[in-house]
Amino acid sequence: MKSIFDTEAYEELMARANKLTPDSPRGWGKMSAAQMAWHCQYPLQLAVTNKKTKVNGKFFLARWFFKKSLYNDKPWRKNLPTAPQLVAREEKDFTTEIEKLKALITECHEVKTRETWNPHPFFGTFTKDQWGQLEYKHLDHHFKQFGV
């Protein structure tokens, strides 16, 4: 499984991000490329900031069924549901959002030497390797959505 912490995978993600344009056609879903760039920032911010958060316990079964799919090689299916707070409800400025996204991809790659990782607020505890795989897989899923 690829990881954002691996230099080769990081460089691949950056090259793919650089191929996105405001008019990149989506293969599925409702987001524009700018909205997708905005949407992808939050998971990266979780890893970069490493804030202590309380794990939301009311979604135990969803977490139990879905967690392992976050860091394995099996691609996610199209049109998975999105957490309400991560749905872009209005159009975003592509240039602003893609630059923020690329900066966060770089920041996330650079925290690869950190040893202590706080739990994800929804999915709970991950190892450092699982965090890196999760971040790669989420970006890969959405970059494929826009053909890059």
Side-chain angles (χ1 to χ4, degrees):
M1 177 72 210
K2 291 184 180 182
S3 168
I4 197 169
F5 299 147
D6 298 331
T7 300
E8 190 174 306
Y10 160 73
E11 290 172 352
E12 170 208 319
L13 290 170
M14 291 300 286
R16 291 167 73 185
N18 285 324
K19 289 180 183 175
L20 284 166
T21 69
D23 301 320
S24 291
R26 64 179 172 262
W28 68 85
K30 298 176 183 176
M31 291 188 284
S32 67
Q35 290 170 322
M36 177 274 292
W38 175 86
H39 163 86
C40 287
Q41 292 170 32
Y42 180 74
L44 292 163
Q45 288 170 341
L46 285 175
V48 169
T49 61
N50 201 33
K51 288 183 184 174
K52 249 190 178 159
T53 58
K54 189 174 183 182
V55 178
N56 188 334
K58 72 179 186 179
F59 299 106
F60 174 76
L61 284 177
R63 181 172 40 254
W64 187 76
F65 281 112
F66 193 63
K67 186 173 179 181
K68 287 183 182 176
S69 75
L70 298 176
Y71 48 83
N72 65 24
D73 284 324
K74 185 178 177 187
W76 292 338
R77 66 178 174 81
K78 299 172 184 177
N79 296 310
L80 286 170
T82 300
Q85 66 270 28
L86 299 181
V87 174
R89 302 203 188 283
E90 66 276 335
E91 192 48 56
K92 305 292 182 182
D93 178 69
F94 177 80
T95 302
T96 300
E97 301 306 334
I98 198 68
E99 290 307 315
K100 285 181 186 177
L101 178 61
K102 290 190 293 188
L104 280 164
I105 291 169
T106 297
E107 286 181 62
C108 191
H109 174 70
E110 290 172 350
V111 298
K112 63 186 171 194
T113 58
R114 184 172 61 216
E115 292 301 321
T116 304
W117 292 81
N118 283 311
H120 187 283
F122 184 81
F123 293 108
T125 304
F126 289 121
T127 66
K128 177 173 67 172
D129 289 341
Q130 290 168 338
W131 269 105
Q133 293 164 347
L134 162 66
E135 298 300 348
Y136 176 88
K137 190 167 184 176
H138 185 242
L139 290 166
D140 178 62
H141 173 75
H142 286 294
F143 287 175
K144 285 179 180 174
Q145 178 184 12
F146 286 88
V148 297

